[in-house]
Amino acid sequence: MMSRSYTNLLDLASGNFSALSLGGRSRRMSRTMTVPGSLSGLDEDDDRAISVSSDVPSSIAQDRVIIVANQLPVRARRRPDGHGWSFAWDDDSLLLQLKGGLPDDMEVLYVGSLRVHVDPREQDEVAQALLERFRCVPAFLPADVNERFYHGYCKQALWPLFHYMLPFSSSEHRAGGRFDRALWESYVLANKLFSQRIIEVINPEDDYIWIHDYHLMALPTFLRRRFNRLRMGFFLHSPFPSSEIYRTLPVREQILKALLNCDLIGFHTFDYARHFLSCCSRMLGLEYQSKRGYIGLDYFGRTVGIKIMPVGVHMGQLQSVLRLPDKEQRVEELRRQFEGKTVLLGVDDMDVFKGINLKLLAFEHMLKLHPEWQGRAVLVQIANPARGRGKDVENIQEEIVQSCERINKAFGNKGYSPVVFIDRPVPLVERIAFYTIAECVVVTAVRDGMNLTPYEYIVCRQGISGADSSSMAECPRKSMLVVSEFIGCSPSLSGAIRVNPWNFETTGEAMNEAIAVSDSEKQLRHDKHYKYVSTHDVSFWSKSFLHDLERTCKDHFRRRCWGIGLGFGFRVVALDPNFRKLSVDGIVSAYDKARSRAIFVDYDGTLVPQTSINKQPSAEIIRIINALCADKKNVIFVVSGRGRDSLGKWFSRCKKLGIAAEHGFFMRWTRDNEWEACSQSTDFGWMQMAEPVMKLYTEATDGSYMETKESALVWHHQYADPGFGSAQAKEMLDHLESVLANEPVLVKSGQFIVEVKPQGVSKGLVAEKILSSMMEDGRQADFVLCIGDDRSDEDMFEGIAGIMTRNLVAPHTSLFACTVGQKPSKAKYYLDDTTDVVSMLGALAESSETTSFPEEIPGPPPTLAENRTETSQ
């Protein structure tokens, strides 16, 4: 009985996940943790983002993997006498089979739910039995929660959408119905209950967490909130839809952000991974990078790995069944039943996406177009019981039965039925017997995550090496496959005949080709497939995934981590130990002690937000800059990529401010000084070569535009389609580098830009020139502050890092290289945003205003400005 509502919209919207918990405390299981504190303390405040990990991995316990899925790999049934339960491993469960790829000394613990309802009074006893005998931790979901979670949101919303079925209807009895907030909240609650069971048994320093499938996509956020350094992977066993489909999901960003709290995310095919990466790009603005064959997303300093590896079959299980006498007996029965016939086989679940009726239409077309197969070809269609329910399933089942009856009536006769429809659960032994006698397997699913039917068929047709049975002697190593191009296993089966199942006519022709092809070709195709399937089995898959998870998490305990954000906006920021937030008190203290200061400030993204429409500096910024410039110890420069006209106009009220425009190509020391060109290059003939190229790409890329500066050309694509704009930028970069190969220019890409500028122009060189001039004038700096937010500022950070060795500043100079935003950078410090930057500069200005300025700097203060005036003249 629920003691409080778990559908509180206000709690969910505010990220108050603790309000979604059940009324009482969840039952606890004994588990000794190797971290300070107690388990009970972890439940006190679910909204606190805490890390209970130490900085160094514990050596007390060995690594363990906790495998989490909606259902445990255990079958449970009530004992015949009605007292107690009996349990047994589910040998068909992928979760059990993947253990073969894990190290022998690695402990495996399972967390999931049972397929049966357990009375609350029996749950403690059942949980204890499962833990002791099977190393399983059951998550007991209340019946109403499970109904709305699994049959509701999972099967009516996520599963249809991930299989490309949009919610056009609001029918409650139809898969793919419109968004129901209450079902989503039940999904979140169920994921929270799973997390509570994991928290009870987890050792965060030594355990790996491996989460499986779309039922638990919200779970990573709950776990990451508790343990910032937790090593966690996720594998999606269903398709991931294209961004055009996924973006229709009302909670699209919440799910993406939850998945990005993992360290490694796995997909069966590159298409699924590509769709996920496209969604991250279009909806979250994240771009992936590929390095040495590994794909990764940088997410607040953490690298989230993307794994592409299709799952395989359990070779040992299939081969053991192939040896069973029952299998041989069933094979002989089927050979007698279909003697003189060519058997095509289909094995599918009864649902709307398996394309069973399309297969029947294709077979019917083959019999019509190739009458020689009438009386000889038989399609055996095994339909496993439907996992979902609703009118869609009922309608497709009725349509399939009608098609079978129609085909058998049109082409059948006494002793011959073209279609044998088996609508019941088929044991593995019997299924393998059908595989053994089938000449061809046909899979016409219109959308399927993986589908291992072709793999199982290939292994069964290979048989057992050295088998002496008559059935194996009569069955040469040959096989044929007709597979839909919309299933996950299709890319790995290069010898199969791939079809578009919606075109049943071409599918029918493919069936004819498959059974009519020569035996030698069937053997060649079979050998090719068997070599792949036998080496890429489920053990290979699990071993590869865990290896990549270890590689992705290798730096977890070296980096500084902390959590920020509420609800599904929560994420962990991971930074290098030497990279820390700039302390205002610390920099003010160093500022007060300094005798000569140099401050370099970027403009866009540093003083004003990148997203701001009005780019002009505020009155507050002007006031702060003037206060800093009034301090005779200071040399203040705005160093920007913007043109000198706009910067000069916007800062016209700052008389003593220095400005370096266009990344330092133009520079002036004060408002009254003339602009001087810092580059030796005066030939801009290259612009006539680059401009037509940029115009060509601008015309071809909707949303892009070109900016012409006095010394540079910049192509912007932030308003273009993300994928197309990025592709065009890469193409343009190659094009321009080729055209301008012999010109004294630099072509480089940045954040949504491609820029062409003269060589020898960078913000780093500007900083060095200013510091050098200060030294020559007897004002060697002992305080240097650089602030910026983008790639061009990294040149400045890199430049000032080496100024100590070149004696451009005093021996004990305080150096502050500061980037805006928590991201990988050559700077040692960061501030969160432009507001923090303005606040910090305001604190420095306030310090200057409240401090007297004794005349202790050698030489008259105006010297720098006067020298610059003389130079410009």
Side-chain angles (χ1 to χ4, degrees), residues 269 450 455 483-494 496 498:
T269 72
M450 185 60 194
Y455 287 10
V483 299
S484 165
E485 62 190 52
F486 301 119
I487 64 176
C489 67
S490 176
S492 60
L493 298 171
S494 56
R498 299 191 183 101

Side-chain angles (χ1 to χ4, degrees), residues 579-640:
F579 187 61
R580 55 191 182 274
K581 189 169 184 176
L582 183 62
S583 167
V584 175
D585 292 340
I587 194 171
V588 168
S589 175
Y591 180 87
D592 289 340
K593 297 174 183 177
R595 297 164 54 88
S596 178
R597 314 181 188 109
I599 300 176
F600 309 102
V601 186
D602 178 39
Y603 187 71
D604 291 278
T606 303
L607 290 178
V608 296
Q610 289 280 11
T611 56
S612 175
I613 297 177
N614 181 11
K615 295 294 186 180
Q616 296 188 30
S618 65
E620 175 68 6
I621 292 174
I622 297 296
R623 183 194 68 77
I624 291 172
I625 288 179
N626 279 330
L628 290 171
C629 291
D631 191 332
K632 296 179 180 180
K633 296 181 180 180
N634 294 342
V635 173
I636 315 295
F637 263 82
V638 169
V639 185
S640 172

Side-chain angles (χ1 to χ4, degrees), residues 803-821:
I803 59 177
M804 296 286 289
T805 59
R806 296 194 296 275
N807 297 321
L808 295 179
V809 294
H812 301 290
T813 296
S814 299
L815 296 178
F816 296 92
C818 179
T819 188
V820 181

Side-chain angles (χ1 to χ4, degrees), residues 11-32:
D11 286 327
L12 184 65
S14 65
N16 183 14
F17 289 144
S18 59
L20 296 175
S21 61
L22 296 176
R25 290 267 184 189
S26 59
R27 293 175 177 82
R28 302 212 157 272
M29 304 176 64
S30 59
R31 168 71 176 169
T32 302

